[in-house]
């Protein structure tokens, strides 16, 4: 803890020396120039590093085995088939209900005529 405080105070001392040596306007210009130069370098590095980072991340991926992939595919197909049947049944049921409500020949009074 004491070491960190010692470093902070030394850094603060240097900052005070720099601030007292140059007028405020020149410091801001200098900081802006430094930031612009650094950002350009960072942008160039970003473009080259993106592909390298993607490749390194893809190496970390644990890919499923052929058997696991087949099991996952079967599960997806079964789920989709079950959902398709449920939606089909709901569609047929609602169509019959609408037909029943709008049919004039049935014993029920029509709501829409």
């Amino acid at each position: 803890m004491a070491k960190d405080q010692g470093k902070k105070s030394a850094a603060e001392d240097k900052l005070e020396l720099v601030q007292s040596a140059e007028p405020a306007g020149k410091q801001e210009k200098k900081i802006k120039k430094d930031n612009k130069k650094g950002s350009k370098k960072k942008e160039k590095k970003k473009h080259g590093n993106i592909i390298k980072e993607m490749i390194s991340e893809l190496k970390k991926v644990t890919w499923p085995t052929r058997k696991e992939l087949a099991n996952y595919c079967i599960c997806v197909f079964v789920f989709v088939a079950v959902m398709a049947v449920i939606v089909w049944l709901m569609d047929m049921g609602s169509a019959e209900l609408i037909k029943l409500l709008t049919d004039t020949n049935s014993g029920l009074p029509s709501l829409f005529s």
Side-chain angles (χ1 to χ4, degrees):
M1 196 94 175
K3 291 179 183 178
D4 292 340
Q5 289 175 349
K7 289 180 183 178
K8 287 180 184 177
S9 64
E12 289 172 356
D13 291 340
K14 288 180 183 178
L15 181 62
E16 288 174 3
L17 288 173
V18 170
Q19 287 176 347
S20 64
E22 294 180 6
K26 289 184 179 179
Q27 285 180 351
E28 290 176 7
K29 289 179 183 177
K30 186 176 180 180
I31 291 171
K32 286 180 183 178
K33 280 185 180 179
D34 291 342
N35 287 342
K36 286 181 183 178
K37 289 178 183 177
S39 65
K40 287 181 182 178
K41 289 179 183 177
K42 287 180 184 178
E43 287 179 18
K44 288 179 183 178
K45 288 182 181 180
K46 283 183 185 178
H47 294 299
N49 288 338
I50 290 174
I51 296 171
K52 290 178 184 177
E53 289 175 7
M54 284 193 304
I55 291 170
S56 67
E57 288 297 322
L58 285 173
K59 288 179 181 178
K60 296 176 187 176
V61 173
T62 55
W63 297 100
T65 63
R66 194 173 203 86
K67 187 176 180 179
E68 289 173 338
L69 187 61
N71 287 336
Y72 296 150
C73 289
I74 290 169
C75 288
V76 168
F77 288 134
V78 169
F79 178 77
V80 168
V82 168
M83 291 305 296
V85 169
I86 290 171
V87 170
W88 177 73
L89 288 173
M90 291 174 64
D91 181 47
M92 295 302 292
S94 63
E96 287 298 318
L97 181 63
I98 290 171
K99 186 178 177 182
L100 181 67
L101 293 173
T102 59
D103 191 15
T104 57
N105 294 333
S106 68
L108 296 174
S110 177
L111 298 174
F112 302 109
S113 56

